[in-house]
Structure formats: structure tokens, C-alpha cells
Amino acid sequence: MPDTDGEAYYVISDLHIGGDEQLEHVEFLDELLAFLERLERSEEAAELIINGDAFGLWEFTSIDGPAKFDALLERYPDLFEQFRATGATIQITLQPGNHDHELAAYDEYVERFAEYNVDVVQTESIDRRVGDRVVHFEHGHQRDPNNRIEDWGEPNATPLGYYYNTLVTSRAGQLSDRGRYNWLRDIQAVTPTERTPIWLLSKYFYREMNPLLRYALVPFLLLFNVSVVLAALSALDLAGIWSMPVERATAFLGQFGTAGTAVWFLLAVNVVVTGLLVLVGVPLYFIRRDVRKTIQRFGVFETALTVDAETPYESAAREVFADRPETAVFCYGHTHRPALREVDGGLLVNTGTWLKRLHRHDGIIGVLPPVFYPSYQLTAVRIAAGSEGLTVEHEEIQKPNPGSEELTLTERVLTLGREPDPQLPDPVVLEPDETASTTRAPTPEE
């Protein structure tokens, strides 16, 4: 039977606190402490559920097992003291995810967290009753083939995602401070993981590349699209098919003397470079496509085809709703994408992440690398029973976006007017004594 304590639940997940070297920096620590302090002072009968990946235990590679707790306690004493204070007022339940699966593997974690009024549950999922409904909580990694842990609670469980985080993410944390800006640690915010190579290329071009070299390359890159057209027209001219565009361009630029000659020379160089790129790029394109198909067949890396961010969770929710009709809400995290939608008469809720979010903006001109614009969308899901029914809503914790501090001038210019403005889902009310299919958005008065 599900637990019946409390009438309201606050749910957060995917904090990913901790890790090697630069990963130990928690950019949202002040906001998290303020949120916990708010719950401490609240007179509401509530429970806080941290639904997986509260801590980045995978990302600690120099220490093992419960010794990681001591590292966390040493690095974040204010957080643990606030846990103690908040946990004295309301119940705090900590459920393991994949990154902190070790919480389910060692009983010592349960004992140590209990000293700070945090109840660690070692099961894969938990249920809570709210009014006449039941809410199902799980982190969600068990629906992801790259991060599924077959032997739950086994200390040495190492799914594919484990190796990525210990070999790539942790290494990034160790090397991040060597860059021109401490940006490499943000690799854990890159989702899906398949975007990592293009993100690295983007940060190299805009952040690490020698500025003189970058500014020297920009004119050629911006003229790439023009050069493609000129190359095609030149080919037509050489073949004797259509010479008019080249003749008119030559006559037009000839009016400007030396300046026109310089522009024509620049365009000619770009045409040559473009031709070489095309000659090399065509075979590379087919090779890349074939390699990508091979990778997808073997599921070696996370790609859009091997990991579906939506369907597995919809299917899991349908199973839970069918097997346990009293369950009205399926709440999960893992994918870092806040969501709230109706599935088979119930609600599927994703809590999002407190990590930085990186929004890809492709170059508006030429072949400049895309810009990954950083922002925060800190959220807590509130699930509570009231006179109108069961209300499910995302509450946003405000934090300024770091774009002006973290982006170069070139990146800010390319994204001018294109800053991300992610919106949280609208709240939904499940009316009492009705099937969940009668969901509706609450009125402003509610």
C-alpha cells in the first residue's frame, strides 16, 4: 500500500551535486538553500521528494563507496545543515537515480543521511497517496537502455552511461580549469549526449581558438554560401553553358579599381576553398552517414534513435495506470526536460533539472558553428490535493541566465534577439470523483 503521510508533495530531481575537481562547483547552491529554507518555514503539511540524481556519485573517480558521503559533507556543509533544519520540519525523501545509484547499494548511506534528517529509500520507485489518488515516483533511468541497472542495489553495477560519466564527464571536471574559460565542466549539461562533439567544436571556435585566427577565418566562413553559388556559376562559365553572371560580376567589380580587384580576389580564393571542401566533404559525408548507421545499430553511443526521450516513459505510465487504476500521476526525471501531459487519463510529469540548460542556435549565416546559449530553468513540481481536486504544477525558482558572462562577444552578436525563453507547462487539475480524462487547466482564481 502507498504511504499516506502528507497532503502535498514537492518534487525536485537531477541536481547532480558533486564530482571530480571543477564538477564540485554548484552554481545553484544559493537558490537550493533558499528553497529548502522556504520549506522549513512553511506551515504546509508537505514532503520533499528528491527524485533521483541528487548527487553525482558516478563522477567521483578517486574515492569509492560511502567515503563519497564524507566528500559531499566536506564540500557542502551549508547544504547538509539546511537538510537537517528542513528535515526537522517536513519529511525529506531521497530516491536514488543512476548517477547516485550507490545510495541503494550501501546501507551506510541510509544511516549517514538520516543524521541530517534525510530518508534514503533504496527501492527503484515509491508511491504516495494524495487525497483519493496515488502518485508514482521513479527517477526514470530504468527506461533508458544506456543507463538501466539490471541488478538494482549491486555496488558494481556499470551500465554504459557509467563509463561515459567516469571516463568523459569526470575527466572534463579535472581539465576544465585549463581552458580560457572554465567551460568544459558544463559537459554534463549537454543533452542529448550525441551533441557533445558539436558542442566541443563550438566552444573551441568561440572560446579556445586564438582570436586572431578566428577573426581571420570569419570572412571566409561568412562568404562560404556565396562561394558555393560562385563556384557553380564558374563551372557553368567554363563549360560554356552560361557566362552572363560571371561577365556581369567582373564588369561590376571592375568599376571600383583596386578595391574591386581585392574583392574579386577574395571571392576567387573562397571559390577555390569551397571547391576543395566539396571534393573532400562529399566522400566524408557518406562515410560519416555509414559510421552513424553502424553506431546506431550497435547502440554504442546515445543517439536520437537509440534513446527515445518520450516514448519509453509514456509506455511505462500506461502500464502503471492500467495495473493500478488508483494511480493518477507518473512522476519522473532523468531526461532533464520539464513536462506535464495527459497519458491514458493520467498525468505524466517530468521534474526537469537544476543543471544549466544549453540551447543550440545554428549559425544564421555562412557555416559558423552553432552557439549553445546557457540558461537556467530551476523547477519544483508541487502535487497537492484541494477542494477542486489534485493540482499538479511546476514552480519556477528564479535564477538569472548567465549568457552575458559566459558567451563571447561573437556568440552574443550571433544570438542577438534569439535568447531562449523556455516556458514551463501549464498546471493541471484532476477533478475529484471523476476519471483522470477530465483534466482541465485551472482557472485564474485557482
Side-chain angles (χ1 to χ4, degrees):
M1 291 293 294
D3 296 340
T4 58
D5 295 336
E7 284 295 313
Y9 297 93
Y10 290 86
V11 195
I12 60 177
S13 73
D14 296 274
L15 309 178
H16 294 268
I17 296 172
D20 288 346
E21 299 189 28
Q22 297 301 309
L23 296 180
E24 72 178 44
H25 181 65
V26 180
E27 296 173 313
F28 52 81
L29 184 58
D30 290 341
E31 288 78 11
L32 178 59
L33 293 173
F35 172 71
L36 293 172
E37 185 177 357
R38 190 190 96 190
L39 294 182
E40 174 194 354
R41 296 179 177 179
S42 173
E43 298 181 358
E44 184 178 30
E47 176 182 352
L48 172 63
I49 296 178
I50 307 178
N51 198 21
D53 284 359
F55 300 100
L57 301 186
W58 271 356
E59 287 77 11
F60 284 105
T61 59
S62 59
I63 50 179
D64 298 312
K68 296 177 183 180
F69 182 91
D70 296 315
L72 292 171
L73 184 59
E74 179 181 355
R75 297 179 184 183
Y76 315 108
D78 293 343
L79 174 61
F80 279 85
E81 286 305 316
Q82 188 59 59
F83 276 149
R84 193 199 302 272
T86 303
T89 302
I90 68 169
Q91 180 177 346
I92 301 177
T93 300
L94 175 57
Q95 168 139 311
N98 52 309
H99 286 257
D100 51 13
H101 167 253
E102 291 178 38
L103 299 177
Y106 298 95
D107 291 338
E108 186 176 339
Y109 278 116
V110 179
E111 299 167 1
R112 300 292 300 277
F113 272 100
E115 297 173 6
Y116 294 89
N117 294 326
V118 176
D119 179 22
V120 175
V121 295
Q122 296 183 303
T123 56
E124 295 181 54
S125 65
I126 58 176
D127 287 345
R128 292 290 188 266
R129 185 174 293 279
V130 185
D132 60 351
R133 305 298 179 90
V134 171
V135 182
H136 173 85
F137 298 97
E138 64 175 68
H139 178 62
H141 62 280
Q142 295 295 75
R143 318 293 177 176
D144 174 355
N146 285 342
N147 289 285
R148 180 183 299 122
I149 297 172
E150 302 295 347
D151 191 1
W152 183 259
E154 164 57 44
N156 298 315
T158 52
L160 180 62
Y162 169 84
Y163 294 104
Y164 178 83
N165 284 280
T166 55
L167 299 177
V168 178
T169 306
S170 295
R171 186 61 176 164
Q174 297 166 15
L175 299 176
S176 186
D177 62 346
R178 300 185 185 183
R180 295 180 185 273
Y181 172 79
N182 198 356
W183 56 268
L184 190 55
R185 66 188 182 191
D186 287 340
I187 194 170
Q188 61 183 339
V190 180
T191 57
T193 309
E194 64 175 344
R195 286 187 173 182
T196 300
I198 190 64
W199 175 75
L200 290 171
L201 172 63
S202 172
K203 299 311 291 184
Y204 165 74
F205 182 82
Y206 293 112
R207 179 63 67 176
E208 295 296 332
M209 180 181 282
N210 185 292
L212 294 178
L213 179 60
R214 179 170 60 249
Y215 293 134
L217 283 175
V218 164
F220 291 96
L221 293 174
L222 295 182
L223 289 171
F224 182 82
N225 289 339
V226 176
S227 299
V228 171
V229 176
L230 288 177
L233 293 176
S234 298
L236 293 175
D237 181 47
L238 291 173
I241 298 174
W242 191 26
S243 59
M244 183 268 291
V246 174
E247 293 175 353
R248 288 195 175 182
T250 303
F252 175 76
L253 292 174
Q255 301 176 31
F256 300 96
T258 303
T261 302
V263 171
W264 184 252
F265 176 76
L266 179 62
L267 291 175
V269 170
N270 269 272
V271 168
V272 173
V273 172
T274 300
L276 293 175
L277 289 176
V278 170
L279 288 176
V280 175
V282 169
L284 285 180
Y285 168 79
F286 287 104
I287 293 173
R288 177 180 177 274
R289 188 173 69 171
D290 189 68
V291 170
R292 184 182 181 89
K293 288 182 178 179
T294 303
I295 288 175
Q296 290 169 351
R297 285 200 305 272
F298 285 95
V300 176
F301 298 111
E302 184 176 52
T303 68
L305 293 182
T306 58
V307 175
D308 189 329
E310 305 293 340
T311 304
Y313 303 100
E314 293 180 359
S315 299
R318 289 190 176 96
E319 291 179 7
V320 171
F321 296 153
D323 293 342
R324 290 171 277 168
E326 72 277 12
T327 302
V329 179
F330 184 103
C331 185
Y332 71 105
H334 187 59
T335 66
H336 296 189
R337 303 176 184 180
L340 174 56
R341 60 186 180 277
E342 188 270 343
V343 173
D344 280 4
L347 292 178
L348 183 62
V349 186
N350 187 293
T351 47
T353 182
W354 285 49
L355 287 177
K356 188 180 298 174
R357 299 188 66 187
L358 302 175
H359 307 263
R360 174 175 173 166
H361 288 300
D362 289 326
I364 56 176
I365 46 180
V367 290
L368 294 178
V371 175
F372 287 82
Y373 199 103
S375 73
Y376 291 101
Q377 194 176 31
L378 313 184
T379 63
V381 171
R382 182 178 182 272
I383 304 172
S387 59
E388 298 296 326
L390 180 64
T391 301
V392 181
E393 59 184 330
H394 288 77
E395 294 187 0
E396 184 169 8
I397 291 88
Q398 296 295 324
K399 181 174 179 59
N401 288 338
S404 58
E405 295 81 21
E406 297 186 3
L407 296 180
T408 63
L409 176 61
T410 304
E411 289 174 297
R412 293 199 299 272
V413 169
L414 292 176
T415 55
L416 189 64
R418 307 168 72 202
E419 297 83 354
D421 184 24
Q423 299 297 314
L424 291 174
D426 293 330
V428 172
V429 172
L430 294 176
E431 297 179 351
D433 301 323
E434 299 284 345
T435 62
S437 61
T438 58
T439 59
R440 61 176 177 83
T443 62
E445 290 76 16
E446 296 172 341

mmCIF file of all heavy atoms in Angstrom, residues 251-261:
data_model
loop_
_atom_site.group_PDB
_atom_site.id
_atom_site.type_symbol
_atom_site.label_atom_id
_atom_site.label_comp_id
_atom_site.label_asym_id
_atom_site.label_seq_id
_atom_site.Cartn_x
_atom_site.Cartn_y
_atom_site.Cartn_z
ATOM 1 N N ALA A 251 32.481 42.863 -64.630
ATOM 2 C CA ALA A 251 32.322 44.249 -65.063
ATOM 3 C C ALA A 251 31.941 45.154 -63.896
ATOM 4 O O ALA A 251 32.440 46.284 -63.779
ATOM 5 C CB ALA A 251 31.253 44.330 -66.161
ATOM 6 N N PHE A 252 31.063 44.658 -63.012
ATOM 7 C CA PHE A 252 30.622 45.469 -61.870
ATOM 8 C C PHE A 252 31.775 45.759 -60.927
ATOM 9 O O PHE A 252 32.000 46.913 -60.534
ATOM 10 C CB PHE A 252 29.504 44.740 -61.131
ATOM 11 C CG PHE A 252 29.062 45.441 -59.867
ATOM 12 C CD1 PHE A 252 28.266 46.573 -59.922
ATOM 13 C CD2 PHE A 252 29.474 44.985 -58.618
ATOM 14 C CE1 PHE A 252 27.880 47.231 -58.759
ATOM 15 C CE2 PHE A 252 29.083 45.622 -57.456
ATOM 16 C CZ PHE A 252 28.285 46.755 -57.525
ATOM 17 N N LEU A 253 32.543 44.731 -60.552
ATOM 18 C CA LEU A 253 33.656 44.937 -59.621
ATOM 19 C C LEU A 253 34.783 45.739 -60.261
ATOM 20 O O LEU A 253 35.534 46.432 -59.566
ATOM 21 C CB LEU A 253 34.179 43.589 -59.125
ATOM 22 C CG LEU A 253 33.220 42.791 -58.227
ATOM 23 C CD1 LEU A 253 33.801 41.413 -57.917
ATOM 24 C CD2 LEU A 253 32.951 43.548 -56.925
ATOM 25 N N GLY A 254 34.900 45.686 -61.598
ATOM 26 C CA GLY A 254 35.941 46.444 -62.278
ATOM 27 C C GLY A 254 35.770 47.938 -62.140
ATOM 28 O O GLY A 254 36.730 48.698 -62.299
ATOM 29 N N GLN A 255 34.563 48.392 -61.845
ATOM 30 C CA GLN A 255 34.310 49.826 -61.671
ATOM 31 C C GLN A 255 35.000 50.386 -60.432
ATOM 32 O O GLN A 255 35.169 51.609 -60.317
ATOM 33 C CB GLN A 255 32.805 50.076 -61.561
ATOM 34 C CG GLN A 255 31.997 49.603 -62.756
ATOM 35 C CD GLN A 255 30.504 49.802 -62.542
ATOM 36 O OE1 GLN A 255 30.079 50.734 -61.854
ATOM 37 N NE2 GLN A 255 29.716 48.921 -63.143
ATOM 38 N N PHE A 256 35.380 49.533 -59.485
ATOM 39 C CA PHE A 256 35.922 50.007 -58.211
ATOM 40 C C PHE A 256 37.433 49.899 -58.132
ATOM 41 O O PHE A 256 38.023 50.010 -57.060
ATOM 42 C CB PHE A 256 35.288 49.213 -57.049
ATOM 43 C CG PHE A 256 33.800 49.365 -56.990
ATOM 44 C CD1 PHE A 256 32.969 48.406 -57.575
ATOM 45 C CD2 PHE A 256 33.225 50.455 -56.361
ATOM 46 C CE1 PHE A 256 31.591 48.530 -57.512
ATOM 47 C CE2 PHE A 256 31.845 50.585 -56.299
ATOM 48 C CZ PHE A 256 31.022 49.635 -56.892
ATOM 49 N N GLY A 257 38.068 49.665 -59.262
ATOM 50 C CA GLY A 257 39.523 49.669 -59.316
ATOM 51 C C GLY A 257 40.152 48.630 -58.412
ATOM 52 O O GLY A 257 39.782 47.453 -58.418
ATOM 53 N N THR A 258 41.133 49.097 -57.595
ATOM 54 C CA THR A 258 41.886 48.187 -56.726
ATOM 55 C C THR A 258 40.978 47.492 -55.712
ATOM 56 O O THR A 258 41.152 46.298 -55.429
ATOM 57 C CB THR A 258 42.983 48.951 -55.969
ATOM 58 O OG1 THR A 258 43.838 49.614 -56.912
ATOM 59 C CG2 THR A 258 43.817 48.010 -55.117
ATOM 60 N N ALA A 259 40.024 48.237 -55.156
ATOM 61 C CA ALA A 259 39.104 47.650 -54.169
ATOM 62 C C ALA A 259 38.298 46.522 -54.808
ATOM 63 O O ALA A 259 38.103 45.454 -54.211
ATOM 64 C CB ALA A 259 38.169 48.715 -53.607
ATOM 65 N N GLY A 260 37.813 46.749 -56.024
ATOM 66 C CA GLY A 260 37.048 45.714 -56.715
ATOM 67 C C GLY A 260 37.897 44.488 -57.001
ATOM 68 O O GLY A 260 37.430 43.351 -56.893
ATOM 69 N N THR A 261 39.183 44.736 -57.380
ATOM 70 C CA THR A 261 40.090 43.614 -57.640
ATOM 71 C C THR A 261 40.316 42.788 -56.364
ATOM 72 O O THR A 261 40.367 41.555 -56.403
ATOM 73 C CB THR A 261 41.433 44.123 -58.153
ATOM 74 O OG1 THR A 261 41.220 44.889 -59.355
ATOM 75 C CG2 THR A 261 42.393 42.976 -58.447
#
